[in-house]
Amino acid sequence: DVNGNAATCAATVSVQDTVRPIANCQNITTYLNNAGSSTIAATQINNGSSDACGIASLTLNNNSFTCANVGINPVVLAVTDVNGNAATCAATVSVQDTVRPIAICQNITTYLNNAGTSMIAASQINNGSIDACGIASLTLNNNSFTCANVGINPVVLTVTDVNGNAATCAATVSVQDTVRPIANCQNITTYLNNAGSSTIAATQINNGSSDACGIASLT
């Protein structure tokens, strides 16, 4: 007081932190693995979020992606400080599939038809090719064969997945001609010579016999 007497009393000061963190996000790209999945961490989306008292946790509303998520995906990062204050920011995750399919081929045999041709489908050469995100198409570099191809023919199968990744494998197509010729005969007359004999040629009996791949002999 004015005469120098003093007294004391005690009190408490409650110090509170109600300031939210500063949440900073960044967009990222992630790549699917061979199984068609990808998992990201919140730290990958975080772009220097800060808080004067310290950050306790970073969490994402979605951190797991599959083939169904190929493309742009929105995510939200939640930043929580050591005193329970939270802030959020938004970012995008570009999910990409760059894994090629596994192309598996098998050798086949095909048979020429009566016209001397044969067509095969890519599915006949395919032997269980796989891709985690799914196969969009199977194509062959050659699927048409003629008499000129009788024997072993190399082919290449291209397997393309739904996201445009492609792989190839090689196989052989054994082209076989098992179609008999069409034999046409005609009756003829021949005359004995002075020695009492006559010789004829097979071509005289032949009456337009035919085969798509060609006739080798007449006997």
Side-chain angles (χ1 to χ4, degrees), residues 160-194:
T160 305
D161 70 15
V162 294
N163 294 307
N165 303 296
T168 61
C169 58
T172 59
V173 177
S174 174
V175 177
Q176 295 190 17
D177 172 20
T178 58
V179 179
R180 294 182 177 183
I182 298 172
N184 288 324
C185 288
Q186 61 184 347
N187 301 326
I188 67 167
T189 298
T190 188
Y191 298 91
L192 299 177
N193 60 22
N194 290 338

Side-chain angles (χ1 to χ4, degrees), residues 32-127:
L32 298 178
N33 59 22
N34 290 339
S37 64
S38 177
T39 301
I40 65 171
T43 53
Q44 292 174 263
I45 298 295
N46 183 45
N47 189 30
S49 299
S50 61
D51 185 88
C53 291
I55 293 173
S57 66
L58 300 168
T59 57
L60 283 172
N61 66 329
N62 183 21
N63 70 338
S64 181
F65 304 92
T66 67
C67 297
N69 304 117
V70 170
I72 301 300
N73 300 266
V75 294
V76 175
L77 175 70
V79 182
T80 305
D81 70 14
V82 293
N83 294 307
N85 302 296
T88 61
C89 57
T92 61
V93 178
S94 175
V95 177
Q96 295 190 18
D97 171 22
T98 58
V99 179
R100 293 183 178 184
I102 298 173
I104 305 171
C105 285
Q106 62 184 346
N107 302 328
I108 67 167
T109 298
T110 188
Y111 298 88
L112 298 178
N113 58 23
N114 290 340
T117 63
S118 177
M119 296 280 291
I120 65 170
S123 57
Q124 292 175 262
I125 298 295
N126 183 45
N127 191 28

Side-chain angles (χ1 to χ4, degrees), residues 100-104 126 128-132 134-135 159:
R100 293 183 178 184
I102 298 173
I104 305 171
N126 183 45
S129 300
I130 56 173
D131 185 86
I135 293 173
V159 182

